[in-house]
Amino acid sequence: MSSTPETHPRVVIVGAGIVGCSLADELTARGWTDVTVLEQGPLPAPGGSTSHAPGLVFQTSPSKTLTAFARYTVEKFNSLQVDGVSCFNQVGGLELATTPERLADLHRKAGYAASWGVRGEIVSAARCKELWPLIDESTVLGGFHTPDDGLARAVLASRAQMARAVERGARFLDRHTVTGIEQEDGRVTAVVTDRGSFPADHVVSAAGFWGPVIGRMAGVEVPLQPLAHQYAKTRQLPELTGATEEAEKPILRFQDRDLYFREHHDRIGIGSYAHKPLPVDPFAILPYDEARANDMEMPSSFPFTEEDWAPSWDDCRELMPALRETEIEEGFNGVFSFTPDGMPVLGESRKLRGFWLAEAVWVTHSAGVAKAVAEWMVDGRASIDLHECDLTRFEEAQRSPSYIRERGSQQFVEVYDVLHPLQPMEQPRPLRVSPFYARQQELGAHFLEGGGWERPHWYEANAPLVDALDPLPERDAWSARYWSPIAAAEAKATREKVALYDMTPLRRLEVTGPGALGFLQRMTTNNLRKKPGAVTYTLLLDETGGVRSDLTVARLAPDRFQVGANSPTDLDWLLRHAPEDVHVKDITSGTCCIGVWGPLARDLVQPLTRDDFSHEGFGYFRAKETYLGHVPVTAMRLSYVGELGWELYTSADLGLRLWDTLWEAGEEHGVIAAGRSAFNSLRLEKGYRAWGVDMTDEHNPYEAGVGFAVRMDKDGFVGQEALHGLATAEPARRLTPLLLDDPAAVVLGKEPVFVDGAPAGYVTSASYGYTLGRCVAYAWLPALASGTGVHIEYFGEKVAATVADEPLFDPKMTRIRR
């Protein structure tokens, strides 16, 4: 009797590197034992990135998800042995600062560690010297020491997990080159190799830098760019003579020169990101035997380029005087994978069901990724938030081969750079612009980038308005980057008069068809069974009740809805579940949106239309299709900034006319254009959540403070069963509003929050509340009473803050509903 996905699913994993071996172990541990791992090279070291990886595992990252992956990798590899040898050498990690900017960055990194639960501390230059006696501490200002980091023995860990998986029923077949992926009716059915076919209900591409090759066979795009990275080993060093362990000192990063170091008994291994990007065509990488025939040790090991190494060798000798008496004995350029945003690519293809990606994964995150993907496959979701890694996250404009190559190469350049959280990419820009772009340039817009869009953060044309402000607190250099006091003036103008906000980058979906209402009722939490003209705030949940996204849904006709969504993943989720009588279409690129907000918004808009825009004639959370001047618009009375106003939508070809119409009508009312910086301040004063930042599928609606969007009395919706009893229960944690006590203090997000002196949570969003005269920070914390004092760690300093009641501004909603 043939197996089916419902009984004992047949899984074929392509690639027996560290990810493939880890995934086979994780799947078989969960009862999916019909697992075949195919590898084109010889086992246990088949010649991919795993075979040459130096094995450094630094757990701390600005990404909570990557840190969770690394923590699990350390935990798991620490528990594995092969022939009495541990698969992890927990020597710790040490990052050096030789500039004030880097030392500040290490303080931020220590904050990430505290936020995500990693042990770490800032140490003095003298302590750095104790930990690594070979360094010249006179150039060092301090360091960040993480005692639980260390070296993964990747090939050993692969062997250990392979053995466990085989004991449970898995099989590993080397010297099997995949030549095709068979499919039928949109589902994967088999993997074809040069030595036969293997039927499959699920196929996982864990092929590393060969991922795009396997993806092309399946008709699935893999946004991954392989690059070569220099690694070298010195000759024997007298200072290390007699070393009995492979490594005893912490793995060392000298990020100011794009270098890292680790011991190899009596030699030192050195990796460099300082050289120019060396992109590699994944379709041109040789198979194992051909690589050997061409005098390569393995396919992933390219010849060492001496000319690229020379500047780094000078930097190495400056840091470690002992290296001045030795030379490089051997080196190679090792190939590994980068994506446009530096994150892994995980998940199941919607176009080819049963075809999964586990790509662009470094050894650091390998076991954690494998666990998450195994959970996803077996249980339907991972136990941690994966939206940053989801294969659907990239916009269409970000999936071209040239974009992937350019951005992947830039990710290599920026591996060790000090990056500001608002820092935009430099190229390719501009990529996506709204129809208002020319007018925004005329007004001196300062653009940052998101999702490929050029987004104004403030306008230099509003600089004269700053003179009328009360003096603003002086900002530190870090929080002053990508910020201007003009944002405060724009926020004030929005609160007192009226402003135009470009909301075009927000995703818009159109859902139509006879089954549209029933479909959206089933997929979302709130009641959408309302008359046309109604707008509803609602949530997308997964089966466990986690918040996948939040939406605004406007019913424009009995069988036509406009959905305001967050990301390409929302579109993918709805398309996966849509029945045949429902059509879901992304209309973002063909449309545009202007937010007209402020107490004078009605004075601006009403003269342009014959329709009634009074509060009685056009209530809050209502929609109308009308004309403003010559422009047909869909007007929705929504406000993400806590002021009277409308979101006005039209087609992209009429966007510029809409802007000019509103601008001309608004001149007598003192209208301004305002940017994202003011917008973020205003929305935090109102307590409006940003999905993916303030809440994810790790959180349920009640602890995230959006339980009001759940109607438990309506017919079944996805995630409903998991919510039973939660509405009346006291959450153990909450998304908590904090006001910083010092009017001059500012935090930016991801900082640890301390309660009674111990780290208890972390900041999600933060911005200065110009109306309130205090910085507002939202944080995930244990349930705390209003008025409770906490501390936020910012650059190593404890900043006092107080738990506040929300909304912080206009709690009776009188300004929006007037």
Side-chain angles (χ1 to χ4, degrees), residues 69-122:
F69 288 159
R71 288 182 62 191
Y72 182 75
T73 300
V74 168
E75 176 188 330
K76 184 175 188 182
F77 289 1
N78 244 333
S79 70
L80 298 176
Q81 290 189 347
V82 175
D83 299 329
V85 178
S86 173
C87 293
F88 193 77
N89 185 1
Q90 202 158 36
V91 292
L94 178 63
E95 301 180 47
L96 301 178
T98 58
T99 65
E101 293 77 15
R102 180 67 62 181
L103 186 60
D105 189 57
L106 295 187
H107 277 286
R108 280 190 300 277
K109 189 164 287 185
Y112 297 144
S115 290
W116 315 144
V118 176
R119 287 202 303 156
E121 63 173 341
I122 300 297

Coordinates of all heavy atoms in Angstrom, one line a residue, residues 69-122:
F69 N 17.7 30.7 16.5 CA 18.2 29.6 15.7 C 19.6 29.2 16.3 O 19.9 28.0 16.5 CB 18.4 30.0 14.3 CG 17.2 30.1 13.5 CD1 17.1 30.9 12.3 CD2 16.0 29.4 13.8 CE1 16.0 31.0 11.5 CE2 14.9 29.5 13.1 CZ 14.9 30.3 11.9
A70 N 20.4 30.2 16.5 CA 21.8 30.0 17.0 C 21.8 29.4 18.4 O 22.6 28.5 18.7 CB 22.6 31.3 17.0
R71 N 20.9 29.8 19.3 CA 20.9 29.3 20.6 C 20.6 27.8 20.6 O 21.2 27.0 21.3 CB 19.8 30.0 21.5 CG 20.2 31.4 21.9 CD 19.1 32.1 22.7 NE 18.9 31.4 24.0 CZ 17.9 31.6 24.8 NH1 17.0 32.5 24.5 NH2 17.8 30.9 25.9
Y72 N 19.6 27.4 19.8 CA 19.3 26.0 19.7 C 20.4 25.2 19.1 O 20.7 24.1 19.5 CB 18.0 25.8 18.8 CG 17.6 24.3 18.7 CD1 17.0 23.7 19.8 CD2 17.8 23.6 17.6 CE1 16.6 22.4 19.8 CE2 17.4 22.2 17.5 CZ 16.8 21.6 18.6 OH 16.5 20.3 18.6
T73 N 21.1 25.8 18.1 CA 22.3 25.1 17.5 C 23.3 24.8 18.5 O 23.9 23.7 18.6 CB 22.8 25.9 16.3 OG1 21.8 26.1 15.3 CG2 24.0 25.3 15.7
V74 N 23.6 25.8 19.4 CA 24.6 25.6 20.4 C 24.1 24.5 21.4 O 24.9 23.6 21.8 CB 24.8 26.9 21.2 CG1 25.6 26.7 22.5 CG2 25.6 27.9 20.3
E75 N 22.9 24.6 21.8 CA 22.3 23.6 22.8 C 22.4 22.2 22.2 O 22.8 21.3 22.9 CB 20.9 24.0 23.1 CG 20.1 23.0 23.9 CD 18.6 23.4 24.0 OE1 18.3 24.6 23.9 OE2 17.8 22.4 24.2
K76 N 22.0 22.1 20.9 CA 22.0 20.7 20.4 C 23.3 20.2 20.1 O 23.6 19.0 20.5 CB 21.2 20.7 19.0 CG 21.0 19.4 18.4 CD 20.1 19.4 17.2 CE 19.8 18.0 16.7 NZ 19.0 17.9 15.5
F77 N 24.2 21.0 19.5 CA 25.5 20.4 19.1 C 26.3 20.2 20.4 O 27.2 19.3 20.4 CB 26.3 21.4 18.2 CG 25.7 21.5 16.8 CD1 24.6 20.7 16.4 CD2 26.3 22.3 15.9 CE1 24.1 20.8 15.2 CE2 25.8 22.4 14.6 CZ 24.7 21.6 14.2
N78 N 26.1 20.9 21.5 CA 26.7 20.6 22.7 C 26.4 19.3 23.3 O 27.1 18.7 24.1 CB 26.3 21.7 23.8 CG 27.5 22.5 24.2 OD1 28.6 22.1 24.2 ND2 27.3 23.8 24.6
S79 N 25.2 18.8 22.9 CA 24.7 17.5 23.4 C 25.1 16.3 22.6 O 24.9 15.2 22.9 CB 23.2 17.5 23.5 OG 22.6 17.5 22.2
L80 N 25.8 16.6 21.4 CA 26.2 15.5 20.5 C 27.6 15.2 20.6 O 28.5 16.1 20.7 CB 25.8 15.9 19.0 CG 24.3 16.2 18.7 CD1 24.2 16.7 17.3 CD2 23.5 15.0 18.9
Q81 N 28.0 13.9 20.4 CA 29.3 13.5 20.3 C 29.5 12.4 19.2 O 28.6 11.7 18.9 CB 29.8 12.8 21.7 CG 29.9 13.8 22.8 CD 30.6 13.1 24.0 OE1 30.7 11.9 24.1 NE2 31.0 14.0 25.0
V82 N 30.7 12.4 18.7 CA 31.1 11.3 17.8 C 32.5 10.8 18.3 O 33.4 11.5 18.4 CB 31.2 11.8 16.3 CG1 31.8 10.7 15.4 CG2 29.9 12.3 15.8
D83 N 32.5 9.5 18.6 CA 33.7 8.8 19.0 C 34.3 9.6 20.2 O 35.5 9.7 20.3 CB 34.7 8.7 17.9 CG 34.2 7.9 16.7 OD1 33.4 7.0 17.0 OD2 34.6 8.2 15.6
G84 N 33.4 10.0 21.1 CA 33.9 10.7 22.3 C 34.2 12.1 22.1 O 34.7 12.8 23.1
V85 N 34.1 12.7 20.9 CA 34.5 14.1 20.7 C 33.2 14.9 20.6 O 32.3 14.5 19.8 CB 35.3 14.2 19.4 CG1 35.6 15.7 19.1 CG2 36.6 13.4 19.5
S86 N 33.1 16.0 21.3 CA 31.9 16.8 21.3 C 31.8 17.5 19.9 O 32.8 17.9 19.3 CB 32.0 17.9 22.4 OG 30.9 18.8 22.2
C87 N 30.6 17.7 19.5 CA 30.3 18.4 18.2 C 30.3 19.9 18.4 O 30.1 20.6 17.4 CB 29.0 18.0 17.7 SG 28.9 16.2 17.2
F88 N 30.6 20.4 19.6 CA 30.7 21.8 19.8 C 31.8 22.1 20.9 O 31.8 21.5 21.9 CB 29.4 22.4 20.3 CG 29.3 23.9 20.3 CD1 29.1 24.6 19.1 CD2 29.4 24.6 21.5 CE1 29.0 26.0 19.1 CE2 29.4 26.0 21.4 CZ 29.2 26.7 20.2
N89 N 32.6 23.0 20.5 CA 33.7 23.5 21.4 C 33.4 24.8 22.0 O 33.5 25.8 21.3 CB 35.0 23.5 20.7 CG 36.2 23.8 21.6 OD1 36.1 24.0 22.8 ND2 37.4 23.9 21.0
Q90 N 32.9 24.9 23.2 CA 32.3 26.1 23.8 C 33.4 26.9 24.4 O 33.5 27.1 25.6 CB 31.2 25.7 24.8 CG 30.2 26.9 25.1 CD 28.9 26.4 25.7 OE1 28.9 25.4 26.4 NE2 27.8 27.0 25.2
V91 N 34.2 27.5 23.5 CA 35.3 28.4 24.0 C 34.9 29.8 24.2 O 35.6 30.6 24.8 CB 36.5 28.3 22.9 CG1 37.1 27.0 22.8 CG2 35.9 28.8 21.5
G92 N 33.7 30.1 23.8 CA 33.2 31.5 24.0 C 33.5 32.3 22.8 O 34.1 31.9 21.8
G93 N 33.1 33.6 22.8 CA 33.3 34.5 21.7 C 33.8 35.8 22.2 O 33.4 36.2 23.4
L94 N 34.6 36.5 21.5 CA 35.1 37.9 21.9 C 35.1 38.7 20.6 O 35.7 38.4 19.6 CB 36.5 37.7 22.4 CG 37.1 39.1 22.8 CD1 36.4 39.7 24.0 CD2 38.6 38.8 23.3
E95 N 34.4 39.9 20.7 CA 34.4 40.9 19.6 C 35.1 42.1 20.1 O 34.9 42.6 21.3 CB 33.0 41.2 19.2 CG 32.2 40.0 18.7 CD 30.8 40.4 18.3 OE1 30.6 41.4 17.6 OE2 29.8 39.7 18.8
L96 N 36.0 42.6 19.3 CA 36.9 43.7 19.7 C 36.4 45.0 19.1 O 35.9 45.1 18.0 CB 38.3 43.5 19.2 CG 39.0 42.2 19.7 CD1 40.4 42.1 19.1 CD2 39.1 42.2 21.2
A97 N 36.6 46.1 19.9 CA 36.3 47.4 19.4 C 37.6 48.2 19.4 O 38.3 48.3 20.4 CB 35.3 48.1 20.3
T98 N 38.0 48.8 18.3 CA 39.2 49.7 18.2 C 38.8 51.1 17.8 O 39.6 51.9 17.6 CB 40.2 49.1 17.1 OG1 39.5 49.1 15.9 CG2 40.7 47.7 17.5
T99 N 37.5 51.3 17.7 CA 37.0 52.7 17.5 C 35.8 53.0 18.4 O 35.1 52.0 18.9 CB 36.5 52.9 16.0 OG1 35.3 52.0 15.8 CG2 37.5 52.5 15.0
P100 N 35.6 54.2 18.8 CA 34.4 54.5 19.6 C 33.1 54.0 19.0 O 32.2 53.6 19.7 CB 34.4 56.0 19.7 CG 35.9 56.4 19.5 CD 36.4 55.4 18.5
E101 N 33.0 54.1 17.7 CA 31.7 53.7 17.0 C 31.5 52.2 17.2 O 30.4 51.8 17.4 CB 31.8 54.0 15.5 CG 31.8 55.5 15.2 CD 33.2 56.2 15.4 OE1 34.2 55.4 15.6 OE2 33.2 57.4 15.5
R102 N 32.6 51.4 17.1 CA 32.4 50.0 17.3 C 32.1 49.7 18.8 O 31.3 48.8 19.0 CB 33.7 49.3 16.9 CG 33.7 47.7 17.0 CD 32.6 47.1 16.1 NE 33.0 47.4 14.7 CZ 32.3 46.9 13.7 NH1 31.1 46.3 13.9 NH2 32.6 47.2 12.4
L103 N 32.8 50.4 19.7 CA 32.5 50.1 21.1 C 31.0 50.4 21.4 O 30.3 49.6 22.1 CB 33.4 51.0 22.0 CG 33.3 50.7 23.5 CD1 33.6 49.2 23.8 CD2 34.2 51.6 24.3
A104 N 30.5 51.5 20.8 CA 29.1 51.7 21.0 C 28.2 50.6 20.4 O 27.2 50.2 21.0 CB 28.7 53.1 20.3
D105 N 28.6 50.1 19.3 CA 27.9 49.0 18.6 C 27.9 47.8 19.5 O 26.9 47.0 19.6 CB 28.5 48.7 17.2 CG 27.7 47.7 16.4 OD1 26.5 48.0 16.2 OD2 28.2 46.7 16.1
L106 N 29.0 47.5 20.2 CA 29.1 46.4 21.1 C 28.2 46.5 22.3 O 27.6 45.6 22.8 CB 30.6 46.1 21.5 CG 31.6 45.8 20.5 CD1 32.9 45.4 21.1 CD2 31.1 44.6 19.6
H107 N 28.0 47.8 22.7 CA 27.0 48.0 23.8 C 25.6 47.7 23.3 O 24.8 47.1 24.0 CB 27.1 49.5 24.3 CG 28.2 49.7 25.3 ND1 28.1 49.3 26.6 CD2 29.4 50.3 25.2 CE1 29.2 49.6 27.3 NE2 30.0 50.3 26.4
R108 N 25.3 48.1 22.1 CA 24.0 47.7 21.5 C 23.9 46.2 21.4 O 22.8 45.7 21.7 CB 23.9 48.4 20.1 CG 23.5 49.8 20.1 CD 23.1 50.3 18.8 NE 24.2 50.2 17.8 CZ 25.1 51.1 17.7 NH1 25.1 52.2 18.5 NH2 26.1 51.0 16.8
K109 N 25.0 45.6 21.0 CA 24.9 44.1 20.8 C 24.7 43.5 22.2 O 24.0 42.5 22.3 CB 26.2 43.6 20.2 CG 26.2 42.2 19.8 CD 27.3 41.9 18.8 CE 27.0 42.4 17.5 NZ 28.0 42.0 16.4
A110 N 25.3 44.0 23.2 CA 25.1 43.5 24.6 C 23.6 43.6 24.9 O 23.0 42.8 25.6 CB 26.0 44.2 25.6
G111 N 23.0 44.7 24.5 CA 21.6 44.9 24.7 C 20.8 43.8 24.0 O 19.8 43.3 24.5
Y112 N 21.1 43.5 22.7 CA 20.4 42.4 22.0 C 20.5 41.1 22.8 O 19.6 40.4 22.9 CB 21.0 42.3 20.6 CG 20.9 43.4 19.7 CD1 21.9 43.7 18.7 CD2 19.8 44.2 19.7 CE1 21.8 44.8 17.9 CE2 19.6 45.3 18.8 CZ 20.7 45.6 17.9 OH 20.6 46.6 17.0
A113 N 21.8 40.9 23.3 CA 22.0 39.6 24.0 C 21.0 39.5 25.2 O 20.4 38.5 25.5 CB 23.4 39.5 24.4
A114 N 20.9 40.6 25.9 CA 20.1 40.6 27.1 C 18.6 40.5 26.7 O 17.8 39.8 27.4 CB 20.3 41.9 27.9
S115 N 18.2 41.1 25.6 CA 16.8 41.0 25.1 C 16.5 39.6 24.7 O 15.4 39.1 25.0 CB 16.6 42.0 23.9 OG 16.7 43.3 24.3
W116 N 17.4 38.9 24.1 CA 17.1 37.6 23.5 C 17.6 36.4 24.4 O 17.4 35.3 24.0 CB 17.7 37.4 22.1 CG 17.6 38.6 21.1 CD1 18.5 38.9 20.2 CD2 16.5 39.4 20.9 NE1 18.1 40.0 19.5 CE2 16.8 40.3 19.9 CE3 15.2 39.6 21.5 CZ2 16.0 41.3 19.4 CZ3 14.4 40.6 21.1 CH2 14.7 41.4 20.0
G117 N 18.1 36.7 25.6 CA 18.5 35.7 26.5 C 19.8 35.0 26.3 O 20.0 33.8 26.6
V118 N 20.8 35.8 25.8 CA 22.2 35.2 25.6 C 23.1 35.9 26.6 O 23.0 37.1 26.9 CB 22.7 35.6 24.2 CG1 24.1 35.1 24.0 CG2 21.8 34.9 23.1
R119 N 23.9 35.1 27.3 CA 24.9 35.6 28.2 C 26.0 36.4 27.5 O 26.5 35.9 26.5 CB 25.5 34.5 29.0 CG 24.6 33.8 30.1 CD 25.5 33.1 31.1 NE 26.4 32.2 30.6 CZ 27.5 31.8 31.2 NH1 27.9 32.3 32.3 NH2 28.3 30.8 30.6
G120 N 26.3 37.6 28.0 CA 27.3 38.4 27.4 C 27.6 39.6 28.2 O 26.7 40.1 29.0
E121 N 28.8 40.2 28.1 CA 29.2 41.4 28.9 C 30.2 42.2 28.1 O 31.0 41.6 27.4 CB 29.7 41.0 30.3 CG 31.0 40.2 30.3 CD 31.5 40.0 31.7 OE1 31.1 40.8 32.6 OE2 32.4 39.1 31.8
I122 N 30.2 43.5 28.3 CA 31.2 44.3 27.8 C 32.4 44.2 28.7 O 32.3 44.3 30.0 CB 30.7 45.8 27.7 CG1 29.5 45.9 26.8 CG2 31.9 46.7 27.3 CD1 29.8 45.5 25.4

